């Protein structure tokens, strides 16, 4: 989806040609897998963070073009909304002091971007959903000035054939509609990439699916949307509904949504790419006329599989398979997309440490968790974690050969079982003990105190309401205080709830 898109409309023949090309790409992927053409293990991880632009009043600023011009770095790019940016960190090899190195690079890059944004009256904030966003902010006129976003918006609207309905019931209920996909821009996330060999892909993806609920529960940071307090992590239901190409009749028939947890454990990366072709019509049928992927392989080359990669980018799995080519060698990645941005750099790196350690350990277990946990339970856990955050109770296999499934508080599951596994996984990556202990300690403290970004936001908002502020003013005050503490940098479990001074 990073490609520049010039095409403005598609003929029937474009879609037919694209479907044929997708099948050729899938056959090419199957051959590459069978011929073991993929990169050797390199322990590479990558990180992307979506960001919001806000003013000193806590309100969104629709000015990413001006801010990007001042930042003048290829590490920063546009995102869907004019109040969004994305920062991409170059791949790092897992091991040593990589976590501290990652934190320092993020602090330097975000600090620089924040200073540049300040020059035009804006600032950078990492948060799952900006609490001060209003429905009037999320309209097609506020999409970033990039043809690919306009085209994607047009194609999703055409596929759906009617307005998008946002219907989320949490602490409060939100029910509204949108004429565009712009509400998707409210969702700002962290994407964690892990390069894996084809032989290890299924185990890593299955492990990532199993723990997606735990990641969300301890990292939730999006309790508000359009002035309503909803789920502790409201991004997943919002993202699904804002990109839903299915009118109600297709939903009633059981047609799968493009934002999708999935429906089964897999045995190879091929399973996921094949499902994407079988279940989801093309949104952007743009063909690379110059590449015949099977001929390229016959001649000993490596195809880009352009059409497969483009189509894959329009199916929004929470753990997405990624095919790429670097240095003339193909590779596979698992892209973990479940986490919200923020609250601080330390929190983001702690979330990453927990994820990378945990999937390494779980993928190598003799009796993997996905052989003991029904996929349906993993999917239900994900929804439960989004709703309840750090107070969630999840279904998880009991220890022992005949343990069965128990329902346990996520904070107990993390402290008693998953943190030791994550530590062992980081040891297997040869991460320095000091980094391991520091960042996993952040996760442990969140669980001890039952505090994450979502609980802090909700608690501080209610303090503001109790002090007499109206809803909009309370959300703005909460956002301003969040920004202040985010830039101060101490992890969220240390943040005092409320506001400094009398009545705070």
């Amino acid at each position: 989806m990073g490609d520049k898109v010039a095409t403005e409309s598609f003929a029937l023949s474009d879609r037919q040609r694209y479907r044929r090309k997708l099948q050729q790409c899938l056959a090419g992927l199957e051959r590459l897998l069978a011929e073991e053409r993929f990169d050797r293990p390199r322990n590479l991880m990558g990180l992307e963070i979506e960001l919001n632009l806000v003013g000193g009043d806590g309100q969104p600023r629709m000015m990413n073009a001006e801010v990007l011009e001042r930042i003048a770095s290829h590490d920063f790019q546009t995102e869907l909304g004019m109040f969004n940016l994305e920062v991409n960190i170059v791949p790092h090899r897992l091991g040593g002091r990589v976590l501290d190195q990652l934190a320092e690079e993020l602090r330097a890059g975000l600090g620089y971007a924040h200073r540049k944004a300040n020059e035009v009256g804006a600032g950078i904030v990492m948060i799952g959903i900006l609490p001060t966003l209003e429905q009037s902010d999320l309209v097609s006129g506020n999409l970033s000035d990039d043809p690919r976003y306009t085209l994607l918006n047009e194609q999703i609207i055409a596929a759906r054939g009617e307005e998008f309905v946002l219907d989320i019931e949490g602490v409060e209920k939100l029910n509204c509609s949108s004429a565009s996909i712009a509400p998707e821009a409210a969702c700002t996330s962290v994407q964690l990439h892990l390069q894996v060999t084809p032989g290890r892909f299924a185990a890593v993806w299955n492990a990532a699916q199993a723990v997606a609920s735990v990641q969300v529960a301890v990292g939730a940071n999006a309790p508000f949307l359009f002035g309503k307090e909803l789920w502790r992590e409201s991004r997943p239901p919002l993202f699904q509904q804002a990109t839903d190409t299915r009118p109600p009749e297709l939903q009633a028939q059981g047609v799968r949504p493009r934002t999708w947890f999935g429906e089964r454990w897999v045995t190879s990366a091929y399973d996921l790419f094949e499902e994407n072709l079988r279940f989801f019509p093309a949104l952007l049928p743009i063909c690379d006329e110059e590449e015949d992927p099977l001929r390229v392989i016959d001649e000993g080359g490596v195809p880009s599989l352009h059409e497969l990669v483009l189509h894959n980018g329009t199916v929004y799995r929470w753990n997405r398979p990624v095919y790429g080519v670097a240095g003339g060698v193909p590779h596979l990645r698992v892209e973990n997309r479940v986490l919200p941005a923020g609250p601080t750099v330390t929190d983001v790196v702690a979330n990453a440490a927990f994820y990378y350690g945990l999937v390494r350990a779980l993928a190598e277990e003799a009796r993997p968790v996905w052989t003991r946990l029904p996929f349906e339970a993993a999917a239900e856990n994900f929804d439960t974690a989004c709703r309840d955050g750090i107070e969630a109770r999840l279904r998880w296999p009991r220890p022992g050969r005949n343990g069965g499934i128990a329902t346990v508080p996520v904070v107990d599951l993390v402290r008693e079982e998953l943190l030791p596994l994550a530590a062992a996984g980081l040891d297997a990556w040869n991460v320095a003990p000091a980094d391991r202990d520091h960042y996993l300690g952040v996760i442990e403290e969140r669980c001890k105190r039952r505090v994450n970004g979502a609980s802090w936001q909700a608690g501080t908002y209610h303090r503001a309401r109790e002090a007499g502020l109206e809803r909009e003013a309370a959300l703005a005050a909460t956002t301003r205080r969040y920004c202040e503490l985010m830039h101060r940098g101490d992890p969220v479990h240390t943040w005092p709830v409320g506001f400094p001074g009398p009545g705070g």
Side-chain angles (χ1 to χ4, degrees):
M1 279 308 300
D3 293 343
K4 295 290 182 183
V5 175
T7 305
E8 294 184 0
S9 63
F10 302 109
L12 294 178
S13 58
D14 292 327
R15 297 186 180 279
Q16 293 165 343
R17 184 166 61 252
Y18 190 77
R19 182 177 286 113
R20 289 193 297 270
K21 197 70 181 291
L22 274 176
Q23 292 298 332
Q24 293 172 10
C25 287
L26 188 64
L29 176 67
E30 188 173 28
R31 277 189 56 182
L32 290 171
L33 290 167
E35 295 172 12
E36 299 181 349
R37 297 278 298 277
F38 284 83
D39 199 3
R40 67 189 188 282
R42 297 175 64 193
N43 297 354
L44 287 178
M45 54 83 74
L47 177 69
E48 304 168 56
I49 307 177
E50 295 164 350
L51 308 164
N52 287 278
L53 293 172
V54 299
D57 56 0
Q59 302 297 323
R61 290 290 187 269
M62 306 295 170
M63 54 194 318
N64 60 5
E66 297 96 314
V67 173
L68 283 169
E69 184 177 0
R70 288 178 176 268
I71 292 173
S73 167
H74 293 301
D75 293 340
F76 289 83
Q77 302 171 359
T78 57
E79 254 298 329
L80 182 63
M82 286 184 175
F83 61 96
N84 298 145
L85 300 176
E86 181 177 88
V87 60
N88 296 284
I89 301 300
V90 296
H92 285 63
R93 189 179 300 276
L94 277 162
R97 299 304 302 271
V98 64
L99 298 175
D100 259 355
Q101 179 186 351
L102 186 64
E104 286 306 309
E105 289 181 17
L106 281 171
R107 288 189 186 100
L110 293 176
Y112 170 76
H114 184 61
R115 291 191 297 275
K116 289 298 179 181
N118 285 168
E119 294 175 4
V120 289
I124 300 288
V125 60
M126 294 190 295
I127 194 167
I129 296 175
L130 191 63
T132 50
L133 281 171
E134 298 180 0
Q135 195 174 354
S136 59
D137 295 318
L138 294 172
V139 294
S140 56
N142 284 337
L143 294 177
S144 290
D145 185 18
D146 189 311
R148 72 182 188 268
Y149 299 130
T150 302
L151 184 59
L152 184 65
N153 181 52
E154 292 171 351
Q155 294 302 306
I156 291 180
I157 290 170
R160 182 174 174 85
E162 59 188 71
E163 288 193 334
F164 301 87
V165 175
L166 305 181
D167 187 357
I168 306 172
E169 185 164 5
V171 177
E172 298 177 295
K173 182 174 177 61
L174 173 71
N175 186 274
C176 62
S177 62
S178 172
S180 76
I181 65 169
E184 177 196 332
C187 306
T188 41
S189 66
V190 170
Q191 288 117 44
L192 301 173
H193 290 255
L194 180 61
Q195 184 177 326
V196 294
T197 61
R200 298 300 294 163
F201 182 95
V204 171
W205 187 86
N206 288 341
Q209 288 286 96
V211 301
S213 57
V214 180
Q215 289 180 271
V216 167
V218 299
N221 196 27
F224 297 105
L225 175 64
F226 298 161
K228 302 285 190 179
E229 185 178 356
L230 301 173
W231 294 11
R232 284 301 183 247
E233 186 53 46
S234 302
R235 286 170 38 258
L238 170 59
F239 201 101
Q240 177 174 323
Q241 294 176 20
T243 59
D244 201 342
T245 55
R246 309 167 304 161
E249 295 82 3
L250 292 183
Q251 295 180 37
Q253 292 174 34
V255 173
R256 295 157 181 86
R258 295 190 86 95
T259 299
W260 197 35
F261 187 81
E263 61 190 22
R264 63 180 176 126
W265 308 117
V266 301
T267 58
S268 76
Y270 181 87
D271 293 350
L272 299 174
F273 287 101
E274 187 276 332
E275 280 186 350
N276 286 356
L277 269 62
R278 181 156 44 97
F279 294 149
F280 302 104
L283 287 177
L284 301 172
I286 303 167
C287 285
D288 177 358
E289 303 293 354
E290 297 181 1
E291 180 179 271
D292 179 334
L294 297 177
R295 184 185 303 152
V296 170
I297 295 172
D298 286 341
E299 294 172 353
V302 175
S304 67
L305 305 184
H306 166 84
E307 293 80 7
L308 188 73
V309 170
L310 179 61
H311 182 64
N312 191 58
T314 65
V315 179
Y316 306 104
R317 294 179 182 270
W318 295 111
N319 284 291
R320 176 188 274 167
V322 178
Y323 170 89
V325 181
V329 182
H331 66 264
L332 292 171
R333 303 194 304 275
V334 173
E335 181 189 14
N336 178 259
R337 301 160 47 82
V338 307
L339 287 166
T344 67
V345 167
T346 297
D347 288 301
V348 168
V349 176
N351 290 339
F354 186 49
Y355 169 74
Y356 287 120
L358 199 48
V359 294
R360 173 70 185 256
L362 290 176
E364 296 181 352
E365 281 192 315
R367 292 185 65 232
V369 63
W370 58 91
T371 66
R372 298 177 286 135
L373 183 70
F375 192 91
E376 295 76 12
E380 290 171 8
N381 280 347
F382 186 68
D383 281 348
T384 299
C386 291
R387 285 182 182 276
D388 299 337
I390 206 153
E391 300 297 334
R393 295 173 59 86
L394 306 180
R395 296 172 64 195
W396 198 258
R398 291 189 182 94
R401 184 164 296 276
N402 299 309
I405 305 291
T407 300
V408 296
V410 69
V411 292
D412 294 343
L413 175 64
V414 170
R415 293 180 64 192
E416 295 168 11
E417 183 174 344
L418 299 185
L419 277 174
L421 282 171
L426 292 177
D427 288 343
W429 289 121
N430 294 315
V431 168
D435 273 20
R436 175 200 67 202
D437 294 345
H438 174 62
Y439 290 104
L440 293 185
V442 170
I443 304 297
E444 182 173 21
E445 286 300 316
R446 277 192 222 154
C447 291
K448 280 183 181 178
R449 305 184 193 198
R450 293 178 180 260
V451 170
N452 58 15
S455 69
W456 183 90
Q457 286 188 58
T460 297
Y461 164 78
H462 286 291
R463 289 278 183 91
R465 293 302 305 276
E466 290 162 8
L469 294 184
E470 295 297 326
R471 181 182 293 261
E472 291 77 10
L475 289 167
T478 298
T479 303
R480 292 193 300 271
R481 180 64 170 157
Y482 179 102
C483 293
E484 175 190 344
L485 294 170
M486 186 208 85
H487 286 290
R488 190 177 296 173
D490 296 327
V492 71
H493 68 263
T494 68
W495 292 9
V497 173
F499 304 88

